Amino acid sequence: MFKLITKNINNKIDTKLMKKYQTTVNHLVQRINLRLLDGSEMMGWVDLIESYDNREILAMRNKANEWNQMKLKYILVVGIGGSYVGVRATIDMCCGAFDKHAPQLIWVHNMSPSYIVALKNKLAREKFGIIVISKSGTTLEPAINFRIFRELLQKNVGISKLHKYIVAITDKEKGTLHDYAKNRHIQTFGIPNNIGGRFSTLTPVGMFAMILKGLDPLQILKGAKQALKDTEDDDIFNNTAYQYACYRHYLHVSKHLQIENFIVYDPTLQFVGEMWRQIFGESEGKDGKGLFPSVSLFTTDLHSMGQYLQQGTRNFFETTLVVEKPKLDLKLKIIDNNDNIKFLNNKSLQYINEKAFEGTVLAHTKIGKVDNIILKIGTNDEYHFGYLFIWFAVAVTLSGYLLKINPFDQPGVEQYKSNMFKLLGKR
């Protein structure tokens, strides 16, 4: 189940204006489908979902079973950006907080010396697995961390067994990591050339870790396929992803809002927000254009940012992701009234959280004059993650082209890398 609710936009797009968007959308979608727009050749995620290779799923399951039989306590996921955010979003959303399903995934996604050395000390005498994710193998952060931890692993298990403890997810045919793995008989899974990092979560980049944690890849793909089906219609009124793209464009370009604050009410969804932030921020932040994507966890952030959101500068709108029926809930049983909350007797935490959401939307929209778009999903499971991921991908594709930019490249990222390599003395 997925719903887009736009009734809380204060200056709602009227029918006449929507018809103007429809004309533009028809033109763009026709060219998107024919892969005629800049970057549209990188929409391989559409083909991937429509015809996923079952042999690859089987190979990933076999390797996951092999590692489970080895009873590894820890698995390091070495990656950054799209090689990290999406897979963590899936695990957090579907496995929940304080997940006890072995093995424990440890995310290695930065070069902080304090973090890396502390982790190295923690694993000093452990046998652990490594999932290293890098299309080229030359991205500096995963390259450094892979070297550090494979050397530690080799010390712990011996060079002859090292290959059994590593999985490399990389280019299918070439590259530094591909060649390293093949030369050492390390299991590899391929990243298609026509799928960029932030759109790669449903490739082995994310799927292998999902399978390792006991998630069902077929349910993820089922949700993704349904999202593709639901977003086939060119009619904006029948296509929620296109509606979302048009509303965002209107609020940014016509109302001159600069920030989109993506809100969740559950810590296990916070990385879904981070995934959304990367997909939209990296796709649209070009040529001096694009909304700044911000992520908030409510009700926590209402006690730190609530004053600003209610009465501060009106340069933002909100998009709230709501789960209707979480997999876990608790009903309060209150006999005494020592803390003055007996009025909540027999109320569930989900019910209370819902009322916090409803009260916040009412305060922000009616009094604070903040536009609020609401996304509703049925529950926090694999199907709904797959649906959300593809829905975001479809929405950002149209949203980028409405801004007249290529939503699939990231030329600005290369500038910091170039400067960093120069400062480090690379020739």
Coordinates of all heavy atoms in Angstrom, one line a residue, residues 271-329:
F271 N 17.4 6.2 8.0 CA 18.3 6.0 6.8 C 17.5 5.9 5.5 O 18.1 6.0 4.4 CB 19.2 4.8 7.0 CG 20.6 5.2 7.4 CD1 20.9 5.5 8.7 CD2 21.6 5.4 6.5 CE1 22.2 5.9 9.1 CE2 22.9 5.9 6.8 CZ 23.1 6.1 8.1
V272 N 16.2 5.6 5.6 CA 15.4 5.8 4.4 C 15.4 7.3 4.0 O 15.6 7.6 2.8 CB 14.0 5.3 4.6 CG1 13.1 5.7 3.4 CG2 13.9 3.8 4.8
G273 N 15.4 8.1 5.0 CA 15.5 9.6 4.8 C 16.9 9.9 4.2 O 17.0 10.7 3.3
E274 N 18.0 9.3 4.7 CA 19.3 9.5 4.2 C 19.4 9.1 2.8 O 20.1 9.7 1.9 CB 20.3 8.8 5.1 CG 20.4 9.3 6.5 CD 20.9 10.7 6.7 OE1 21.6 11.2 5.8 OE2 20.5 11.3 7.7
M275 N 18.8 7.9 2.4 CA 18.8 7.4 1.1 C 18.1 8.4 0.2 O 18.5 8.8 -0.9 CB 18.1 6.1 1.0 CG 18.0 5.5 -0.4 SD 17.1 3.9 -0.3 CE 15.4 4.5 -0.1
W276 N 16.9 8.9 0.6 CA 16.1 9.9 -0.2 C 17.0 11.1 -0.4 O 17.0 11.7 -1.5 CB 14.9 10.3 0.6 CG 14.2 11.5 0.1 CD1 13.2 11.6 -0.8 CD2 14.4 12.9 0.6 NE1 12.9 13.0 -1.0 CE2 13.6 13.7 -0.1 CE3 15.3 13.4 1.6 CZ2 13.6 15.1 0.1 CZ3 15.2 14.8 1.8 CH2 14.4 15.6 1.1
R277 N 17.7 11.6 0.7 CA 18.6 12.7 0.6 C 19.6 12.6 -0.5 O 19.9 13.5 -1.2 CB 19.2 13.0 2.0 CG 20.0 14.3 2.0 CD 20.5 14.7 3.3 NE 21.6 13.8 3.8 CZ 22.3 14.0 4.9 NH1 22.2 15.2 5.6 NH2 23.2 13.2 5.3
Q278 N 20.3 11.4 -0.5 CA 21.3 11.3 -1.5 C 20.7 11.2 -2.9 O 21.2 11.8 -3.9 CB 22.1 10.0 -1.3 CG 23.2 9.9 -2.4 CD 24.1 8.6 -2.3 OE1 23.7 7.7 -1.6 NE2 25.2 8.6 -3.0
I279 N 19.6 10.4 -3.1 CA 19.0 10.3 -4.4 C 18.6 11.7 -5.0 O 18.9 12.0 -6.1 CB 17.8 9.4 -4.4 CG1 18.2 7.9 -4.1 CG2 17.0 9.5 -5.7 CD1 17.1 7.0 -3.9
F280 N 18.0 12.5 -4.2 CA 17.5 13.8 -4.7 C 18.6 14.9 -4.7 O 18.7 15.7 -5.6 CB 16.3 14.3 -3.9 CG 15.0 13.6 -4.3 CD1 14.7 12.3 -3.8 CD2 14.2 14.1 -5.3 CE1 13.5 11.7 -4.2 CE2 13.1 13.5 -5.7 CZ 12.7 12.2 -5.2
G281 N 19.4 14.9 -3.6 CA 20.5 15.9 -3.5 C 21.5 15.7 -4.6 O 21.9 16.7 -5.3
E282 N 22.0 14.5 -4.8 CA 23.1 14.3 -5.8 C 22.5 14.4 -7.2 O 23.3 14.7 -8.1 CB 23.7 12.9 -5.6 CG 25.1 12.8 -6.3 CD 25.8 11.6 -5.8 OE1 25.2 10.6 -5.4 OE2 27.1 11.6 -5.8
S283 N 21.2 14.1 -7.4 CA 20.7 14.1 -8.7 C 20.3 15.5 -9.2 O 20.4 15.8 -10.4 CB 19.4 13.2 -8.8 OG 19.7 11.9 -8.5
E284 N 19.9 16.4 -8.2 CA 19.4 17.7 -8.6 C 20.3 18.9 -8.3 O 20.1 20.0 -8.9 CB 18.0 17.9 -7.9 CG 17.0 17.0 -8.4 CD 15.6 17.3 -7.8 OE1 15.5 17.8 -6.7 OE2 14.6 17.1 -8.5
G285 N 21.3 18.7 -7.5 CA 22.1 19.9 -7.1 C 23.1 20.2 -8.1 O 24.3 20.0 -7.9
K286 N 22.7 20.9 -9.2 CA 23.6 21.2 -10.3 C 23.2 22.6 -10.9 O 22.0 22.9 -10.8 CB 23.6 20.1 -11.4 CG 24.1 18.8 -10.9 CD 23.5 17.7 -11.7 CE 23.7 16.4 -11.0 NZ 23.0 15.3 -11.6
D287 N 24.2 23.2 -11.5 CA 23.9 24.5 -12.2 C 23.2 25.5 -11.4 O 22.3 26.3 -11.8 CB 23.0 24.2 -13.5 CG 23.7 23.2 -14.5 OD1 24.9 23.1 -14.4 OD2 22.9 22.6 -15.2
G288 N 23.5 25.5 -10.1 CA 22.9 26.5 -9.2 C 21.4 26.2 -8.9 O 20.7 27.1 -8.5
K289 N 21.0 25.0 -9.2 CA 19.5 24.6 -9.0 C 19.4 23.5 -7.9 O 20.4 23.0 -7.4 CB 19.0 24.1 -10.3 CG 19.1 25.1 -11.5 CD 18.6 24.4 -12.8 CE 18.7 25.3 -14.0 NZ 18.3 24.7 -15.2
G290 N 18.1 23.3 -7.6 CA 17.8 22.1 -6.8 C 17.5 22.5 -5.3 O 18.0 23.4 -4.8
L291 N 16.5 21.8 -4.8 CA 16.1 21.9 -3.4 C 17.2 21.3 -2.5 O 17.8 20.3 -2.8 CB 14.8 21.2 -3.1 CG 13.6 21.8 -3.6 CD1 12.5 20.8 -3.8 CD2 13.1 22.9 -2.7
F292 N 17.5 22.0 -1.4 CA 18.4 21.4 -0.4 C 17.6 20.3 0.4 O 16.6 20.6 1.1 CB 19.0 22.4 0.6 CG 19.9 21.9 1.6 CD1 21.3 21.7 1.2 CD2 19.5 21.5 2.8 CE1 22.2 21.2 2.2 CE2 20.4 20.9 3.7 CZ 21.7 20.8 3.4
P293 N 18.1 19.0 0.4 CA 17.4 18.0 1.1 C 17.8 17.8 2.5 O 19.0 17.6 2.8 CB 17.7 16.7 0.2 CG 19.1 17.0 -0.3 CD 19.2 18.5 -0.5
S294 N 16.9 18.0 3.4 CA 17.2 17.9 4.9 C 16.4 16.7 5.4 O 15.3 16.4 4.9 CB 16.8 19.2 5.6 OG 16.9 19.1 7.0
V295 N 16.9 16.1 6.5 CA 16.2 14.9 7.1 C 16.0 15.2 8.6 O 16.9 15.6 9.3 CB 17.0 13.6 6.9 CG1 16.3 12.4 7.5 CG2 17.2 13.3 5.4
S296 N 14.8 14.9 9.0 CA 14.4 15.1 10.5 C 13.8 13.8 11.0 O 13.0 13.2 10.3 CB 13.5 16.3 10.7 OG 14.1 17.5 10.3
L297 N 14.1 13.5 12.3 CA 13.5 12.5 13.0 C 12.6 13.1 14.1 O 13.0 13.7 15.0 CB 14.5 11.6 13.7 CG 14.0 10.5 14.7 CD1 13.1 9.5 14.0 CD2 15.2 9.8 15.4
F298 N 11.2 12.9 13.9 CA 10.3 13.4 14.8 C 9.8 12.2 15.7 O 9.9 11.1 15.3 CB 9.0 14.0 14.1 CG 9.3 15.3 13.5 CD1 10.5 16.0 13.5 CD2 8.2 16.0 12.8 CE1 10.7 17.2 13.0 CE2 8.4 17.2 12.2 CZ 9.7 17.8 12.3
T299 N 9.4 12.4 16.9 CA 9.2 13.7 17.5 C 10.5 14.2 18.2 O 10.5 15.4 18.7 CB 8.2 13.6 18.7 OG1 8.6 12.6 19.6 CG2 6.8 13.2 18.1
T300 N 11.6 13.5 18.1 CA 12.9 13.9 18.7 C 13.2 15.3 18.3 O 13.5 16.2 19.1 CB 14.0 12.9 18.3 OG1 13.6 11.6 18.6 CG2 15.3 13.3 18.9
D301 N 13.3 15.6 17.0 CA 13.7 16.9 16.5 C 12.7 18.0 16.7 O 13.1 19.2 16.6 CB 14.1 16.8 15.0 CG 15.3 16.0 14.7 OD1 16.1 15.7 15.7 OD2 15.5 15.5 13.6
L302 N 11.5 17.7 17.1 CA 10.6 18.7 17.5 C 11.0 19.4 18.8 O 10.5 20.5 19.1 CB 9.2 18.1 17.6 CG 8.5 17.8 16.3 CD1 7.2 17.0 16.6 CD2 8.2 19.0 15.4
H303 N 11.8 18.7 19.6 CA 12.3 19.3 20.8 C 13.6 20.0 20.6 O 14.2 20.6 21.6 CB 12.5 18.2 21.9 CG 11.1 17.6 22.3 ND1 10.5 18.0 23.4 CD2 10.3 16.7 21.7 CE1 9.3 17.4 23.5 NE2 9.2 16.6 22.5
S304 N 14.2 20.1 19.4 CA 15.4 20.8 19.2 C 15.2 21.8 18.0 O 15.8 22.9 18.0 CB 16.5 19.9 18.8 OG 16.2 19.1 17.6
M305 N 14.3 21.5 17.0 CA 14.1 22.3 15.9 C 12.6 22.8 15.8 O 12.3 23.5 14.8 CB 14.5 21.6 14.6 CG 16.0 21.3 14.5 SD 16.9 22.9 14.3 CE 16.3 23.4 12.7
G306 N 11.8 22.3 16.7 CA 10.4 22.6 16.6 C 10.1 24.1 16.5 O 9.2 24.6 15.8
Q307 N 10.8 24.9 17.3 CA 10.5 26.4 17.3 C 10.8 27.0 16.0 O 10.0 27.8 15.4 CB 11.4 27.0 18.4 CG 11.3 28.5 18.5 CD 9.9 29.0 18.7 OE1 9.2 28.5 19.6 NE2 9.4 30.0 18.0
Y308 N 12.0 26.6 15.4 CA 12.3 27.1 14.1 C 11.3 26.7 13.0 O 10.9 27.5 12.2 CB 13.7 26.7 13.7 CG 14.1 27.3 12.3 CD1 14.8 28.5 12.3 CD2 13.8 26.7 11.1 CE1 15.2 29.0 11.1 CE2 14.1 27.2 9.9 CZ 14.8 28.4 9.9 OH 15.1 29.0 8.7
L309 N 11.0 25.4 13.0 CA 10.1 24.9 12.0 C 8.7 25.5 12.1 O 8.0 25.7 11.1 CB 9.9 23.4 12.2 CG 11.2 22.6 11.9 CD1 11.0 21.1 12.3 CD2 11.6 22.6 10.5
Q310 N 8.3 25.9 13.3 CA 7.0 26.5 13.5 C 7.0 28.0 13.1 O 6.0 28.5 12.5 CB 6.5 26.4 14.9 CG 5.1 26.8 15.2 CD 4.1 25.9 14.5 OE1 4.2 24.7 14.4 NE2 3.0 26.6 13.9
Q311 N 8.0 28.7 13.5 CA 8.0 30.2 13.4 C 9.2 30.8 12.7 O 9.3 32.0 12.6 CB 7.8 30.8 14.7 CG 6.5 30.5 15.4 CD 6.3 31.2 16.7 OE1 7.2 31.4 17.5 NE2 5.0 31.6 17.0
G312 N 10.2 30.0 12.2 CA 11.4 30.5 11.6 C 11.2 30.9 10.1 O 10.0 31.1 9.7
T313 N 12.2 31.1 9.4 CA 12.2 31.6 8.0 C 11.3 30.6 7.2 O 11.5 29.4 7.3 CB 13.6 31.6 7.4 OG1 14.4 32.5 8.3 CG2 13.6 32.2 6.0
R314 N 10.4 31.1 6.4 CA 9.5 30.3 5.6 C 10.2 30.0 4.2 O 9.7 30.4 3.2 CB 8.2 31.0 5.4 CG 7.4 31.4 6.7 CD 6.9 30.2 7.5 NE 8.0 29.7 8.3 CZ 7.8 28.7 9.2 NH1 6.7 28.1 9.3 NH2 8.8 28.3 9.9
N315 N 11.3 29.2 4.3 CA 12.0 28.9 3.0 C 12.0 27.4 2.8 O 12.8 26.9 2.0 CB 13.4 29.5 3.1 CG 14.2 28.8 4.2 OD1 13.7 28.2 5.1 ND2 15.5 29.0 4.2
F316 N 11.1 26.7 3.4 CA 11.1 25.2 3.3 C 9.7 24.7 3.2 O 8.7 25.3 3.6 CB 11.9 24.6 4.4 CG 11.2 24.7 5.8 CD1 10.3 23.7 6.3 CD2 11.3 25.9 6.5 CE1 9.7 23.9 7.5 CE2 10.7 26.0 7.8 CZ 9.8 25.0 8.2
F317 N 9.6 23.4 2.7 CA 8.4 22.7 2.9 C 8.8 21.3 3.4 O 10.0 21.0 3.5 CB 7.6 22.6 1.6 CG 8.3 21.7 0.5 CD1 7.9 20.4 0.3 CD2 9.2 22.3 -0.4 CE1 8.5 19.6 -0.7 CE2 9.8 21.6 -1.4 CZ 9.4 20.2 -1.6
E318 N 7.8 20.5 3.8 CA 8.0 19.2 4.5 C 7.4 18.1 3.7 O 6.3 18.2 3.1 CB 7.4 19.2 5.9 CG 8.1 20.3 6.8 CD 7.4 20.4 8.1 OE1 6.2 20.0 8.3 OE2 8.1 20.8 9.1
T319 N 8.1 17.0 3.6 CA 7.6 15.7 3.1 C 7.7 14.7 4.2 O 8.8 14.4 4.7 CB 8.4 15.2 1.9 OG1 8.2 16.2 0.8 CG2 7.9 13.9 1.4
T320 N 6.6 14.1 4.7 CA 6.6 13.2 5.8 C 6.3 11.8 5.4 O 5.3 11.6 4.7 CB 5.5 13.7 6.8 OG1 5.8 15.0 7.2 CG2 5.5 12.8 8.1
L321 N 7.1 10.9 5.8 CA 6.9 9.4 5.5 C 6.2 8.8 6.7 O 6.8 8.9 7.8 CB 8.2 8.7 5.2 CG 8.1 7.2 5.0 CD1 7.3 6.9 3.8 CD2 9.5 6.6 4.8
V322 N 5.1 8.2 6.5 CA 4.3 7.6 7.6 C 4.1 6.1 7.4 O 3.7 5.7 6.2 CB 2.9 8.3 7.7 CG1 2.1 7.7 8.8 CG2 3.1 9.8 8.0
V323 N 4.3 5.3 8.4 CA 4.0 3.9 8.3 C 2.7 3.6 9.1 O 2.5 4.0 10.2 CB 5.1 3.0 9.0 CG1 4.8 1.6 9.0 CG2 6.4 3.3 8.3
E324 N 1.7 3.1 8.4 CA 0.4 2.9 9.0 C 0.3 1.8 10.0 O -0.3 2.0 11.1 CB -0.7 2.6 7.9 CG -1.0 3.8 7.0 CD -2.3 3.8 6.4 OE1 -2.8 2.6 6.1 OE2 -2.9 4.8 6.2
K325 N 1.0 0.7 9.8 CA 1.0 -0.4 10.7 C 2.4 -1.0 10.9 O 2.8 -1.9 10.2 CB 0.0 -1.6 10.2 CG -1.5 -1.1 10.2 CD -2.3 -2.3 9.8 CE -3.8 -1.9 9.8 NZ -4.7 -3.0 9.4
P326 N 3.1 -0.5 11.8 CA 4.5 -1.0 12.1 C 4.4 -2.4 12.5 O 3.4 -2.9 13.1 CB 5.0 -0.1 13.2 CG 3.8 0.5 13.8 CD 2.8 0.6 12.8
K327 N 5.5 -3.2 12.3 CA 5.5 -4.6 12.6 C 5.5 -4.8 14.2 O 5.1 -5.9 14.6 CB 6.7 -5.3 12.0 CG 6.6 -5.4 10.5 CD 7.7 -6.3 9.9 CE 9.1 -5.6 9.9 NZ 10.1 -6.4 9.2
L328 N 5.9 -3.8 14.9 CA 5.9 -4.0 16.4 C 5.1 -2.8 17.0 O 5.2 -1.7 16.5 CB 7.4 -3.9 16.9 CG 8.3 -5.0 16.5 CD1 9.7 -4.8 17.0 CD2 7.8 -6.4 16.9
D329 N 4.4 -3.1 18.1 CA 3.6 -2.0 18.7 C 3.4 -2.5 20.2 O 3.7 -3.6 20.6 CB 2.3 -1.8 18.0 CG 1.7 -0.4 18.4 OD1 2.3 0.3 19.1 OD2 0.6 -0.2 18.0

